[in-house]
Amino acid sequence: MNSADHATLVTAVKAAGLVETLEGSGPFRVFAPTNEAFAKLPPGTVDTLVKPENKGMLIRILTYHVVAGRLSAADLKKQIKADNGTVELVTVEGGKLWATEDGEHIMLKDEKGGTASVTIANVFQSNGVIHVVDSVLMPN
């Protein structure tokens, strides 16, 4: 991503060795945390995660933000409505996220009970779509 708001995410993706994977054919739906989202984590968390000895955990967290498929926000909202207000998403990491609607926004809940709001939807790429989120989601 060529976004100044995602410098921390880009650094983490490089440290995890996921650049080639995410540049692959996909299609992927990426819930991309901003620099501010990473800044909400406890102090030192990002510095610790990008260390080589923590690569496995970093990969788990990053791939938890990726879901197979190229669905727009409108498609996701249709799924939410069809599933009575909550749709369960299976991440590339193997975990689950739950998507709901809160007014105009899509909200995501992670396995630890944390939430993130989609602040910018539908950044279409050749291999999928990026939805910008305001918090880092955490797998169990």
Side-chain angles (χ1 to χ4, degrees), residues 90-111:
V90 178
T91 70
V92 170
E93 182 267 343
K96 294 177 182 175
L97 292 171
W98 294 270
T100 58
E101 252 187 293
D102 183 21
E104 293 296 312
H105 293 283
I106 294 172
M107 297 295 298
L108 299 168
K109 183 176 174 185
D110 65 24
E111 293 174 335

Side-chain angles (χ1 to χ4, degrees), residues 4 7 12-13 15 18 24 26 37 42 52 64 69-71 83 95 98 110 127-128:
V13 166
L18 292 173
Y64 189 68
R70 180 186 172 102
L71 291 177
D83 286 350
W98 294 270
D110 65 24
N127 65 347

Side-chain angles (χ1 to χ4, degrees), residues 32-115:
T34 60
N35 297 337
E36 288 180 1
F38 279 101
K40 290 180 185 178
L41 295 172
T45 300
V46 174
D47 291 336
T48 299
L49 285 171
V50 298
K51 290 181 179 177
E53 62 267 24
N54 297 319
K55 185 176 179 178
M57 177 54 75
L58 181 59
I59 289 170
R60 280 193 67 221
I61 292 169
L62 294 175
T63 57
Y64 189 68
H65 288 78
V66 181
V67 176
R70 180 186 172 102
L71 291 177
S72 69
D75 294 332
L76 187 52
K77 286 180 179 184
K78 285 178 191 172
Q79 284 184 333
I80 291 168
K81 286 180 182 158
D83 286 350
N84 297 318
T86 301
V87 67
E88 185 176 277
L89 306 171
V90 178
T91 70
V92 170
E93 182 267 343
K96 294 177 182 175
L97 292 171
W98 294 270
T100 58
E101 252 187 293
D102 183 21
E104 293 296 312
H105 293 283
I106 294 172
M107 297 295 298
L108 299 168
K109 183 176 174 185
D110 65 24
E111 293 174 335
K112 293 189 180 254
T115 60

Side-chain angles (χ1 to χ4, degrees), residues 12-28:
V13 166
K14 288 177 181 175
L18 292 173
V19 173
E20 284 186 24
T21 302
L22 293 176
E23 287 179 345
S25 60
F28 303 114

